Amino acid sequence: MVALAAALVLAGSAAEARVGGRGSFGSRGGRTYTPPPATRTAPEAAAPIQRSQIPNQGPNLNRPGTPAPNVAQPRRFGFGTGLMAGLFGAGLLGLLMGNGFFGGLAGLASIMGLLLQIGLIVLLISFAMKWFRRRQEPSYAGPQGHQQSMAGGSVPPAGGRPMGGGLGGIGGLGGGALGGALGGLNQSRRRTEVRDEVGIGEKDYAAFERSLVELQDAYSRQDIEKLWTMATPEMAGYIQEELNDNNARGVVNKVTDVRLLQGDLSEAWREGTTEYATVAMRFSLIDILTDKATGRVLEGDPSKPEQATELWTFRRDQGGPWKISAIQQA
């Protein structure tokens, strides 16, 4: 059980590496808490936004006959209260029977062993519940009630391609892997299932692809100034918090060799003068965590790429440049 608990802790820490690896955060305007439509790249429901400056008011706000969101709920006796009451009762029973306060559970060692076992069981059940809950989340239905197709976007590229060894080589990619997958097709051949109210073109897809590698590069170099030019103030603040946390722990997260394997558009829409686009991307990368003082690799394999699938939402104000406004795990 101790070995299993250690493995779970290491798995959780490894999942925190790279930009956005710590969860789903940011804002998608009025659709922040609405799941983006599934795509070929991300057929499962995306993880819901966990951190956002937009308050989650819930689907029942201002609907007649629904209770107020802040109504106080009656206090329930939870896991901790019931467990401690049971242990205390067992101790009192042992004391009354003449075996001492801890006689009811065969001593202090039995209590500690029981607590460890119950804690591990609760941890495993929590992981299982989260996994089942994510698989049972419904697909997004648009405002008109039309169900989105599970196959969004267009044909993915055949194999991944390097996204440049440095920032200087990125500008010459043209459409790049993502642009080739989404923006390189004739308008008449594009799938009609994708909700695109903006008219995303090849230049937009190229900008999304550049952002994927440039943001990881700036994150690895801890280039705060670059991060604030690429992301919305909210997202830049979250990413800077991660870097500050790494510095406090004395570690550096380095991400290299980013390759886009597949990508497609989930949805694009307008809210006033602001435009949004959510893109699903599956990519490979070298992701390692090193000791800041010695450079020793603490997590990850510098010679073995790993894959990730995420949905990135971009925001553009009044025709300006696209900026990253949200990242969700798929």
Side-chain angles (χ1 to χ4, degrees):
M1 288 185 178
V2 172
L4 176 60
L8 291 174
V9 171
L10 290 177
S13 61
E16 292 181 355
R18 81 175 183 277
V19 177
R22 298 190 180 188
S24 302
F25 54 96
S27 299
R28 300 179 65 240
R31 306 185 184 186
T32 298
Y33 299 103
T34 300
T39 72
R40 286 176 177 161
T41 303
E44 301 292 339
I49 295 291
Q50 299 166 327
R51 298 182 63 192
S52 178
Q53 292 182 356
I54 296 181
N56 185 3
Q57 299 175 332
N60 294 326
L61 185 69
N62 295 331
R63 289 185 180 179
T66 57
N70 294 325
V71 174
Q73 298 294 327
R75 181 180 176 183
R76 296 180 177 88
F77 292 95
F79 167 79
T81 303
L83 175 63
M84 294 309 297
L87 294 177
F88 188 73
L92 287 179
L93 180 61
L95 182 62
L96 293 175
M97 295 298 293
N99 297 324
F101 184 79
F102 295 105
L105 289 175
L108 181 61
S110 297
I111 294 180
M112 299 306 297
L114 178 62
L115 288 174
L116 176 60
Q117 295 177 44
I118 293 177
L120 290 174
I121 292 173
V122 170
L123 182 62
L124 291 175
I125 293 176
S126 176
F127 273 97
M129 291 180 64
K130 290 181 180 179
W131 185 80
F132 281 113
R133 188 180 299 115
R134 285 187 56 187
R135 292 185 64 86
Q136 294 174 357
E137 288 181 357
S139 300
Y140 167 72
Q144 288 78 24
H146 299 292
Q147 193 71 18
Q148 296 294 324
S149 170
M150 293 294 289
S154 55
V155 180
R161 59 182 291 181
M163 295 180 64
L167 299 183
I170 296 175
L173 285 177
L178 183 61
L182 296 172
L185 300 181
N186 186 278
Q187 290 284 349
S188 61
R189 295 179 56 195
R190 293 184 183 176
R191 301 185 63 87
T192 58
E193 296 91 341
V194 180
R195 182 182 297 278
D196 184 0
E197 302 173 3
V198 177
I200 302 299
E202 293 186 18
K203 292 183 179 179
D204 301 312
Y205 295 119
F208 301 155
E209 184 180 1
R210 285 195 302 270
S211 295
L212 174 65
V213 67
E214 289 184 4
L215 187 70
Q216 302 288 1
D217 179 80
Y219 183 80
S220 299
R221 295 185 292 104
Q222 302 185 49
D223 189 344
I224 303 298
E225 183 178 355
K226 178 69 174 179
L227 291 172
W228 279 82
T229 63
M230 296 185 60
T232 61
E234 176 187 8
M235 283 294 289
Y238 292 149
I239 297 172
Q240 188 171 349
E241 286 181 8
E242 293 185 7
L243 292 176
N244 293 340
D245 180 61
N246 288 344
N247 288 329
R249 295 162 52 198
V251 298
V252 177
N253 187 193
K254 293 187 177 295
V255 180
T256 58
D257 197 23
V258 181
R259 296 171 181 263
L260 183 67
L261 305 178
Q262 182 174 327
D264 46 11
L265 180 67
S266 175
E267 60 180 343
W269 72 99
R270 287 189 177 91
E271 295 182 10
T273 59
T274 301
E275 297 175 335
Y276 291 90
T278 297
V279 181
M281 294 185 286
R282 180 169 62 88
F283 53 95
S284 66
L285 70 166
I286 301 292
D287 187 3
I288 61 174
L289 199 66
T290 64
D291 183 83
K292 187 175 182 179
T294 64
R296 180 172 59 93
V297 176
L298 303 175
E299 294 179 8
D301 188 341
S303 61
K304 183 180 179 180
E306 58 184 70
Q307 292 189 19
T309 302
E310 297 175 342
L311 287 97
W312 287 31
T313 297
F314 297 86
R315 169 176 173 161
R316 179 167 62 185
D317 295 303
Q318 298 181 346
W322 288 107
K323 294 190 175 184
I324 301 164
S325 65
I327 296 178
Q328 291 173 266
Q329 303 302 311

